[in-house]
Amino acid sequence: MSTAPRLTALDALHRSLGATMTDFAGWDMPLRYASERDEHHAVRTRAGLFDLSHMGEITVTGPEAAAFLSYALVGNIATVGNGRARYTMIVQEDGGIVDDLIVYRLGETEYMVVANAGNAQIVLDALTERVGGFDAEVRDDRDAYALLAVQGPESPAIMKAVTDADLDGLKYYAGLPGTVAGVPALIARTGYTGEDGFELFVAPEHAEALWQALTEADAPHGLIPCGLSCRDTLRLEAGMPLYGHELTTALTPFDAGLGRVVKFEKEGDFIGREALKAAAERAETAPPRKLVGLIAEGRRVPRAGFPVVADGKVIGEVTSGAPSPTLGKPIAMAYVDAAFAAPGTGGVGVDIRGTHEPYEVVALPFYKRQK
């Protein structure tokens, strides 16, 4: 029995703008409005406006909210300052990654966990199951928020035209309550594009007015609406992992090269601790595969699942691949045997429908913005 995809509060607006829509994680979302390449370049050079209302917001409150989240997640949430945010993960008992998350501390005993759209229910269920024994409450707030993002070098100038919030004092991975174009919002300085930018959590009924106000405030800056397609190429250039590609339940944070998010030194036990200790030791002594960047010498584009080869043998697998508008070449992220992971390693190719196309191994990210 098929279920119709969910619609964001901006659905009618997207259609009026001529967006090509797609079903993404059970939501009808804009894939692109016109040219995804133009949208990509706009974010790199000016600014782009995204609807990210498919993301999953889960609120955790109570006297033991921080202790609970430190037990349920791999990070040390007790050390997150008021108004700050932290990138972290939730794992299974065996250390396999359930999802990567951003946790915002909204108050003394209030936190907002933001999960990926496709995993939001899984994360909600896991947190609800793990909260037993803690003086804390887990609340599904997915319907309480619409989420807009302004990303790109011109985003601070655009935002300053519509809010008097202290944006200059708002650090990367922080959030503060404010009013944007008359709309109450949580203003966060996070993002998934490799550029400076802001994410705005607002009540769904205010989303369209805020979108229009941001568009009108933009006149000198070149802001354009952007879809999920360019968001994917932007995050790929920035070397940012995508759940279901670089992150899965078959991998631990250490397998993904993100062991730094696991905080063994925090107080108390946490889910997956023992399995992650073993994974950390394996990563130190005999890492099975490492996540690397690949840049094509030719024009053929690798896709997720394509084998990475060397000396006639399969040495890895592509997890994400696309043409890079910034580099002008196809790029990919891939897990490869550790012996082939050093930047500059030669003789590496991608098997694209039977042809071994040559690729250069490079360090991630492919693109890093100038500060």
Side-chain angles (χ1 to χ4, degrees):
M1 195 170 130
S2 64
T3 305
R6 298 181 66 183
L7 307 180
T8 78
L10 294 165
D11 182 74
L13 186 146
H14 297 318
R15 294 172 193 280
S16 74
L17 293 172
T20 298
M21 306 296 287
T22 189
D23 185 341
F24 183 83
W27 289 82
D28 213 13
M29 297 296 295
L31 188 64
R32 71 182 70 82
Y33 296 84
S35 159
E36 54 203 50
R37 180 175 290 270
D38 289 349
E39 292 171 22
H40 181 109
H41 283 309
V43 175
R44 285 280 179 257
T45 60
R46 302 184 308 278
L49 179 57
F50 296 82
D51 178 9
L52 304 179
S53 302
H54 59 315
M55 301 295 282
E57 296 86 7
I58 301 163
T59 301
V60 178
T61 57
E64 293 183 330
F68 159 60
L69 286 170
S70 288
Y71 165 76
L73 311 178
V74 302
N76 189 355
I77 307 307
T79 61
V80 179
N82 222 332
R84 298 307 303 265
R86 181 154 300 165
Y87 177 78
T88 187
M89 294 182 182
I90 182 168
V91 302
Q92 301 174 149
E93 282 283 8
D94 67 1
I97 301 166
V98 174
D99 200 13
D100 60 336
L101 312 164
I102 296 179
V103 178
Y104 296 90
R105 185 173 182 182
L106 304 182
E108 197 59 36
T109 59
E110 182 177 4
Y111 297 81
M112 182 169 68
V113 178
V114 180
N116 286 297
N119 291 332
Q121 187 64 50
I122 296 168
V123 173
L124 176 66
D125 291 345
L127 291 176
T128 302
E129 182 183 319
R130 296 175 185 188
V131 77
F134 289 92
D135 188 0
E137 178 189 345
V138 175
R139 186 174 73 235
D140 181 1
D141 269 351
R142 286 176 288 176
D143 292 335
Y145 292 102
L147 177 57
L148 280 64
V150 184
Q151 292 282 305
E154 293 290 340
S155 57
I158 294 166
M159 285 290 296
K160 284 176 182 178
V162 290
T163 183
D164 57 5
D166 179 18
L167 299 183
D168 290 334
L170 185 64
K171 297 177 181 176
Y172 187 52
Y173 264 71
L176 82 168
T179 301
V180 184
V183 171
L186 171 65
I187 307 167
R189 200 165 204 158
T190 48
Y192 194 52
T193 63
E195 298 297 339
D196 192 9
F198 302 88
E199 293 182 319
L200 309 172
F201 296 85
V202 300
E205 61 267 26
H206 295 147
E208 190 166 337
L210 181 55
W211 180 287
Q212 300 288 17
L214 288 164
T215 302
E216 288 163 17
D218 149 68
H221 306 290
L223 177 80
I224 66 170
C226 294
L228 295 182
S229 186
C230 85
R231 190 168 180 252
D232 190 50
T233 53
L234 289 159
R235 70 92 195 168
L236 178 55
E237 288 183 351
M240 294 178 169
L242 175 64
Y243 195 87
H245 290 255
E246 289 73 41
L247 309 176
T248 71
T249 53
L251 298 168
T252 72
F254 293 95
D255 296 326
L258 292 166
R260 64 183 181 276
V261 306
V262 181
K263 303 302 181 185
F264 292 116
E265 72 278 10
K266 62 183 173 179
E267 275 187 37
D269 197 12
F270 65 93
I271 299 289
R273 177 191 278 274
E274 291 310 311
L276 290 172
K277 272 188 178 174
E281 289 169 11
R282 284 196 308 272
E284 281 291 322
T285 56
R289 284 184 169 174
K290 290 189 173 183
L291 187 65
V292 301
L294 300 174
I295 298 181
E297 293 182 20
R299 309 301 302 173
R300 298 186 74 188
V301 179
R303 298 298 182 191
F306 284 13
V308 182
V309 294
D311 302 325
K313 296 177 183 175
V314 174
I315 58 149
E317 185 175 296
V318 171
T319 53
S320 296
S324 165
T326 304
L327 276 64
K329 297 178 179 180
I331 60 173
M333 286 198 280
Y335 283 106
V336 302
D337 293 348
F340 296 88
T345 299
V348 172
V350 175
D351 186 337
I352 301 181
R353 298 181 182 87
T355 303
H356 292 184
E357 298 288 337
Y359 273 74
E360 178 188 358
V361 178
V362 299
L364 292 169
F366 300 98
Y367 166 86
K368 189 176 284 188
R369 71 183 172 96
Q370 300 300 309
K371 299 292 183 185

